[in-house]
Amino acid sequence: MRTQVVIVGGGPSGLLLGQLLHCAGIENIIVERQSGDYVLGRIRAGVLEQVTMDLLKQAGVDKRARAEGLPHDGIELLFKGARHRIDLNGLTGGKQVTVYGQTEVTHDLMDARAAAGLTTIYNAAPVSLHDFDTASPRVRYQKDGATHEIACDFIAGCDGYHGISRASVPADALHLYEKVYPFGWLGVLADVPPLSHELIYANTPRGFALCSMRSATRSRYYVQVGTEERVENWSDDAFWNELRNRLDPEAREHLVTGPSLEKSIAPLRSFVAEPMRFGSLLLAGDAAHIVPPTGAKGLNLATADVGYLSRALEIFYREHSASALDRYSELCLRRVWKAERFSWWFTSLMHRFPDNGEFGQKIQEAELDYLVNSRAASTSLAENYVGLPLESF
Ligand code: RFL
Ligand code: PHB
């Protein structure tokens, strides 16, 4: 088998890249370790930046996100028992975010890929990458007991944090930066109406909480938990009680609870691998970087990467120039590090840290007070939350 680009990983970054390349007339095959249903079963991000919506549009898959996604003009910060609104729209000259689940984005991309008749090889395991330090790389995989090989011009490593792509690069060719946080997020998805029409990020004496949503009838809630916590030890009742205890009196009264559709604990981590290109192998999304979810940046960074990558490959094939590919890593990382900074900062501001002490606590309170009362500080939050613009090559 031969194609122009083999995409390893069929999560949102791999699927979006496949669609963008297809629209630019570039052949591609996706090789995914799991089944399609498994990929759709993972409940993750919920907030899309305008940059992501624009890329979905460019890929021709924005129809349902536009029709069913919820435009949000602001968020609320809850601390010391009171809520304060950050006017994202007013502070950024009219920008918004769209609340539309990663599951739905993935669904729409899978449907578009099937409709275009593009090849996705599911249940391919193990996958291995070969000769990507040359111009003739190959991807090998096993499926149904047989070994297959695809020859290509480029391999896009879109296989997430635990994937094989980054792990295939010689260790001395990558610089890894990592920070692990001393807590995780326990998340619950439930078919109950959202508490409020905007997201609430809460800093409370019992720890962080987030009230989010997927639609007018489906809510997504999170509470900060210790790294030793196990999801089996959290009944639905225990979760709702803990969430209620982290809300202000009005929110507490309006909270509607119900059986959980999904419940999981995600550890919090900041991670960057530099560079994002190694010969004919280009890393994108979680394969190259992880952010703690507080800033809602993980999925949006992944889509921005593949926006850059599809453009660089288009320039390569159309203009026979590798100049944009040569700048791919640098351009991505400039934006990645700004999102890393924002996600680290917002995480540090909103969570209880075991080692913060009374002084750290007072500093957090002072910063929150400053943030909601200073237009400059609120603008900085809003500008980063709605997403920084993409640069051009
Ligand atoms: P993904 O979604 O991990 O997809 C990678 C795909 O690659 C496949 N794969 C392989 N395929 C072939 N061969 C191999 N050896 C392979 N190894 C892995 C996997 O099966 C998978 O299908 O990465 P991608 O596409 O880069 O997308 C990134 C986003 O998924 C991610 O940034 C966000 O979901 C991060 N994230 C969140 N981001 C937010 O903005 N808000 C959130 O609330 C939020 N919650 C989360 C999250 C990430 C989580 N993880 C990674 C555990 C919650 C969790 C639990
Ligand atoms: C979500 O809805 O899952 C969500 C929203 C905002 C975040 C993180 C997660 O910052």
Side-chain angles (χ1 to χ4, degrees), residues 159-274:
D159 50 351
Y161 181 67
H162 299 288
I164 191 67
S165 298
R166 189 186 69 250
S168 302
V169 178
D172 60 3
L174 287 180
H175 195 128
L176 308 182
Y177 302 84
E178 186 173 42
K179 179 175 176 62
V180 177
Y181 299 84
F183 40 74
W185 281 17
L186 169 64
V188 156
L189 186 72
D191 271 336
V192 292
L195 174 55
S196 164
H197 66 287
E198 293 184 337
L199 271 63
I200 303 172
Y201 289 83
N203 174 324
T204 84
R206 298 180 68 90
F208 171 79
L210 169 60
C211 307
S212 181
M213 67 198 74
R214 290 292 176 273
S215 69
T217 56
R218 182 168 285 189
S219 300
R220 179 71 165 160
Y221 292 106
Y222 299 92
V223 294
Q224 172 187 351
V225 293
T227 43
E228 72 293 345
E229 291 285 350
R230 294 287 159 262
V231 70
E232 308 78 62
N233 299 335
W234 283 88
S235 65
D236 286 0
D237 278 351
F239 177 85
W240 294 121
N241 279 336
E242 188 55 46
L243 177 65
R244 204 176 277 115
N245 282 331
R246 298 186 189 192
L247 298 175
D248 58 286
E250 194 208 334
R252 209 172 286 158
E253 204 178 300
H254 285 100
L255 179 69
V256 182
T257 65
S260 63
L261 302 171
E262 194 262 2
K263 198 189 290 155
S264 54
I265 295 182
L268 265 65
R269 178 191 307 273
S270 298
F271 171 84
V272 181
E274 287 191 349

